Amino acid sequence: MHPLLARPEFRRYLVGQTLSVLGDSALSIALGIWAKVLTGSNSAAGLVLFCFSAPLLLLPLGGLLADRVRRKPLLVGVNLAVAVSLLPLLLVDGPGTVWIIYGTATVCGLAGAVLAPAQSALLRSILTERQDFGAAAGLTQSARAGTTLVAPLLGSGLYGWFGGHVVAVADLGVLLLAALSFLTLRVDEAAPEPSGLRWRTEVLAGFVHLRGSVGLRPLVVATAAAGFVLSLLQPVLFALTQHGLHRSPQFLGVLETTEAVGALGGSVAGGLLIGRLGPRRTVMAGSVVFGLGTVLLLAPSLYAVSAGLVIAGAGIPAALVGLATAAQASTPPRLMGRAQAAVNLSLTAPQALAVGVGSALVAALDFRVVLGVMVAGALLAAVHLIGKPEAPTEPPKAAAGAEPGDQAEPKDARDLQPS
């Protein structure tokens, strides 16, 4: 067993985070299917996913909240609030009540904008040694990848067997267990003190931190670029299934599961390699691995494509371990929620754009050409990091009067403007 898993507080944290992610992921799939069944409309199912994802644009506000209150009670309260929001789903009984599904999905999306930065910030309070950051990033990313692998099967399977009402009750139970896991954590959190800064300055402080960190900023840029080309894969897989492998559209599920298996392996490998390679070279290695795996997708062979998806699927999660380690190590604790929110938004916004770009490219070009673009993009992301400075392993020194370990935040919104 990994030494970190021997620590009760880290175990409780990992269980709480995993259950929270599991509940959210399984519910998003089940609600989409439910809306489709009730209305017969693919657009209705797509709107459910939009309701889950659109509130992530509010991540900077969620990061600010995570830095202005104690993180443990915040995580407990948000998970309980989402659990309560599932109760109206028991009233859904036809197309006329599909709006309840949309409302619940929106609440879950809003909760996600708070949970992600709050979880990262709480983890920083649990870890006492900086050498634990890489291992913690690997373990949490592995748990997330494993959850992503089983959640679609769990959500769709429960709905198919028992219906939407049972899914709602089961998910409510999962979220209550997540809240209980966070509640039982024993962690010392000092009450955050008001900074006295302007509201806009505080909201954007995470982005200011990323811009000013010469070691962290290149990692965010490279990982965002690699994540962008990864997201091109989703529309490409439709064309690859039909024209490359000559299989039915339903076979896409097999390919996506294969990629998810690779993602789980990449998360584990990233956690093992981060101690030897460091954050920068781990991100570089992940980008290169993704590019090499994507090359295999060009072969008209199911075996080659399957191997390619496992390899490519492993690349980006390994890179994310490197980025998460650098973010934890180089960010002051008081700024952790906003910094993590800035990182998350910097990654998710390009990925959302990539799905639309990929669909347009696949419609205009042969899918093999798009795969070539993806390989080039992944390798350029790795090349971008050559010669870049290593991310610091200690946060910047505090300014006079600041709390120990904190970075001085901008004194005015004018400080946020590019120099």
Side-chain angles (χ1 to χ4, degrees):
M1 183 171 66
H2 194 281
L4 266 181
L5 294 177
R7 302 181 188 178
E9 304 318 311
F10 182 78
R11 287 202 308 270
R12 292 188 181 102
Y13 169 86
L14 191 60
V15 169
Q17 182 197 50
T18 302
L19 289 173
S20 185
V21 173
L22 176 63
D24 180 74
S25 300
L27 186 67
S28 66
I29 297 296
L31 292 187
I33 297 173
W34 201 355
K36 163 70 175 176
V37 170
L38 289 176
T39 64
S41 169
N42 290 323
S43 298
L47 184 56
V48 171
L49 299 180
F50 175 79
C51 291
F52 267 97
S53 58
L56 293 179
L57 293 174
L58 300 177
L59 269 167
L61 296 179
L64 176 60
L65 179 61
D67 284 340
R68 288 295 171 254
V69 300
R70 289 188 177 93
R71 285 77 179 250
K72 171 184 165 179
L74 177 63
L75 289 171
V76 173
V78 171
N79 278 286
L80 289 177
V82 176
V84 172
S85 76
L86 300 181
L87 293 175
L89 290 175
L90 300 178
L91 302 177
V92 175
D93 59 2
T97 53
V98 72
W99 63 269
I100 297 177
I101 294 178
Y102 298 142
T104 301
T106 301
V107 171
C108 292
L110 290 170
V114 176
L115 288 173
Q119 287 169 355
S120 294
L122 180 63
L123 179 61
R124 179 61 182 276
S125 300
I126 294 172
L127 301 177
T128 56
E129 302 293 337
R130 298 195 179 280
Q131 58 264 33
D132 293 334
F133 290 167
L139 289 169
T140 54
Q141 185 65 32
S142 299
R144 184 178 293 273
T147 301
T148 303
L149 179 62
V150 304
L153 298 176
L154 184 61
S156 59
L158 279 177
Y159 181 86
W161 293 327
F162 303 110
H165 295 142
V166 171
V167 172
V169 173
D171 195 62
L172 187 150
V174 169
L175 292 175
L176 290 178
L177 288 175
L180 180 62
S181 296
F182 288 123
L183 182 64
T184 57
L185 273 172
R186 295 180 180 178
V187 56
D188 293 328
E189 287 190 282
E193 298 180 1
S195 65
L197 302 176
R198 296 175 61 179
W199 180 81
R200 187 174 68 168
T201 302
E202 293 212 67
V203 170
L204 297 179
F207 293 97
V208 173
H209 172 67
L210 295 189
R211 189 190 69 175
S213 177
V214 295
L216 184 57
R217 184 179 65 238
L219 298 184
V220 174
V221 172
T223 310
F228 181 88
V229 295
L230 169 65
S231 296
L232 294 177
L233 185 61
Q234 185 63 39
V236 168
L237 281 180
F238 284 99
L240 172 64
T241 302
Q242 180 180 359
H243 302 297
L245 299 177
H246 307 289
R247 300 294 180 112
S248 67
Q250 288 80 2
F251 194 72
L252 178 66
V254 176
L255 299 182
E256 291 182 334
T257 301
T258 303
E259 181 191 355
V261 171
L264 178 58
S267 300
V268 174
L272 296 174
L273 292 175
I274 186 67
R276 295 185 177 185
L277 299 181
R280 181 175 65 90
R281 286 184 290 177
T282 301
V283 174
M284 291 177 65
S287 299
V288 171
V289 167
F290 175 79
L292 294 178
T294 305
V295 170
L296 293 178
L297 304 184
L298 295 166
S301 163
L302 177 59
Y303 296 108
V305 168
S306 298
L309 284 174
V310 171
I311 296 172
I316 305 305
L320 288 173
V321 172
L323 176 59
T325 302
Q328 284 280 346
S330 60
T331 303
R334 189 161 61 96
L335 195 59
M336 195 65 234
R338 282 165 289 174
Q340 188 62 50
V343 169
N344 287 358
L345 191 58
S346 299
L347 298 182
T348 55
Q351 289 173 9
L353 176 64
V355 175
V357 172
S359 299
L361 289 176
V362 169
L365 304 171
D366 187 286
F367 75 90
R368 298 173 184 85
V369 176
V370 183
L371 286 173
V373 172
M374 292 168 59
V375 172
L379 297 181
L380 285 174
V383 169
H384 171 71
L385 292 177
I386 296 177
K388 293 295 191 297
E390 294 290 348
T393 57
E394 296 283 348
K397 291 183 179 179
E403 296 177 11
D406 285 347
Q407 172 181 306
E409 298 182 48
K411 295 181 180 179
D412 190 84
R414 291 188 296 273
D415 295 334
L416 300 174
Q417 304 303 318
S419 56

